[in-house]
Amino acid sequence: MEIEVISFGKIAELITTKKLILDFILDTDDFKKYLEETYPELNNIKYKLAVDKQIVQTNCKLKDGSVVAIMPPFSGG
Amino acid sequence: MSAERYNRQIILEGFGESNQKKLANASVLVIGAGGLGCPALLYLTASGIGRIGLIDGDVISLSNLHRQILFSTADIGKLKAETAARKLAELNPEISIKPYPFYISQTNILDTIKPYDFIVDGTDNFESKYLINDACALLNKPLVFAAVSGYEGQLAVFNVEDGNKNKTNYRDIFPIQPKKGEIPNCAENGIIGVLPGIIGTMQAAEIIKLITGIGKPMVNKLLNYNLLQQSFYEIDLIAAPDNAYKIPKDESSFLKTNFGYPKDDKHYRVLEIDIKELENLQKKDSTILIDVRETHEIPKLNSANYKQFPMSVFEDLLDQEIKENNIVLLCQHGVRSIAAAEYLHEKYGINKNIYSLKGGIIRWKNFFTS
């Protein structure tokens, strides 16, 4: 399954890939686990996911072509 | 009110005198007269908002001037709040502008925001952003939130119901305040001057839309703006599940909440652990494992090994003394358990080792269901 990744802020410097081909990832819980194993820095940064522009509050299924946004908080003013 | 001053927006189709009157009757507090606050204040003042408050305890420095466009070189060393108020009064002497030349704090914020209809967050640190968020959520004040970093910005309207009576706040996106150093700020990371100009101006636009009812304010949406790409990415927000976080429910609990930065020292930190570390801790004598999920959530865990204390009644646990030295919190996804761990941390400090299972029961469901 192909997932499009859009990342923001500091996370965009970590995750430079825009497309991921992932076969064992079914849902956002799997995806987070994959992200944190692949990019261990994410273990130390708070971030939120959105799938197809909807914020992820509880585990949700991913499908081929899903667009996952990975957003850190910003503090600047 | 001088109709001539506002003529170009009064003649605008869909705006008119009635909306100009709504602006004149409204009050807005801008917290932080910096990169976001300066442009927001300029446009709010020019638009004819009847009563504007601005709060900032800082003085103007040379490195502010590339983005804090209310100030000039001769202002260096002066208080931002008073300097900004003087310049804004020159721009529009027909409205009331009140400067508060001090920083917001846990003890002054509730009384400061109460007299205003709408709040603009133009602050530059998480401690203030969480303080403002929780104060506005507690008092149900519409809050126009923004934050910037590098070439990017975020914008949202919080505590305003949509057509389905749903509302959200910052903790629905980021329930736990980041630790100091986790996310770089402008002083560390840098910021292009025009970016807060764009985002702060958008904050003023959202306020004007909220007051007049024109257009569609960014209610239950988070806008991500990228200046380099000139692109916008909008996310629909829904509230986090019940008890994913706690907002103080009254003024006395607000005053007791810890809004300081969580300490960096590892002894002061809640540690997130994986299942192997949980198994190791389970073998030790003085360990308690606490499931903070609500009672209806599945899979159910063996109550001989896991004590259940749902987040909805977690305060009861805080009132009791835990005798074990190692406390492991777990929940479905590892979000609520961090909040629970932080509460226990506030209570016990370095006297107990407090852990949260990262990814929660779902991530390790083979372990919990076998």
Side-chain angles (χ1 to χ4, degrees), chain A residues 2-76:
Chain A
E2 189 173 287
I3 305 286
E4 190 182 333
V5 177
I6 300 181
S7 44
F8 297 89
K10 200 179 171 184
I11 293 176
E13 294 166 23
L14 290 176
I15 307 175
T16 49
T17 171
K18 301 274 182 276
K19 280 203 169 24
L20 292 170
I21 313 286
L22 300 167
D23 285 330
F24 301 100
I25 304 287
L26 300 176
D27 54 36
T28 49
D29 279 349
D30 292 346
F31 187 75
K32 275 175 132 168
K33 191 178 174 192
Y34 164 83
L35 279 181
E36 288 169 20
E37 283 167 1
T38 314
Y39 305 98
E41 296 95 330
L42 284 180
N43 286 296
N44 302 317
I45 304 176
K46 296 196 171 54
Y47 65 91
K48 194 76 176 176
L49 297 184
V51 173
D52 298 330
K53 300 194 167 186
Q54 302 283 323
I55 196 166
V56 174
Q57 296 293 23
T58 50
N59 189 26
C60 77
K61 291 261 174 286
L62 292 172
K63 57 181 194 307
D64 191 41
S66 287
V67 181
V68 182
I70 311 167
M71 300 171 290
F74 295 158
S75 71

Side-chain angles (χ1 to χ4, degrees), chain B residues 152-171:
Chain B
E152 294 175 61
Q154 294 171 335
L155 176 79
V157 172
F158 294 135
N159 305 320
V160 177
E161 286 185 349
D162 63 18
N164 298 319
K165 304 246 174 228
N166 296 318
K167 58 182 178 178
T168 46
N169 70 73
Y170 193 50
R171 286 194 194 268

Side-chain angles (χ1 to χ4, degrees), chain B residues 15 42 156 207 239 249 253 289 296 346:
Chain B
F15 201 88
L42 277 164
I207 289 284
K249 57 186 182 306
S253 54
L289 295 108
H296 63 267
E346 272 172 41

Side-chain angles (χ1 to χ4, degrees), chain A residues 77, chain B residues 32-36 38 41 54-65 67-68 70-71 75-88 99-103 122 124:
Chain B
L36 293 167
C38 284
L41 282 162
L54 61 113
I55 177 163
D56 200 315
D58 202 5
V59 295
I60 299 151
S61 61
L62 183 58
S63 66
N64 295 152
L65 300 183
R67 66 190 188 286
Q68 300 183 14
L70 267 168
F71 310 126
D75 296 326
I76 290 168
K78 295 178 187 162
L79 280 165
K80 287 183 182 178
E82 285 170 354
T83 309
R86 182 171 48 77
K87 298 201 177 185
L88 294 168
Y100 300 87
F102 50 79
Y103 290 105
D124 63 356

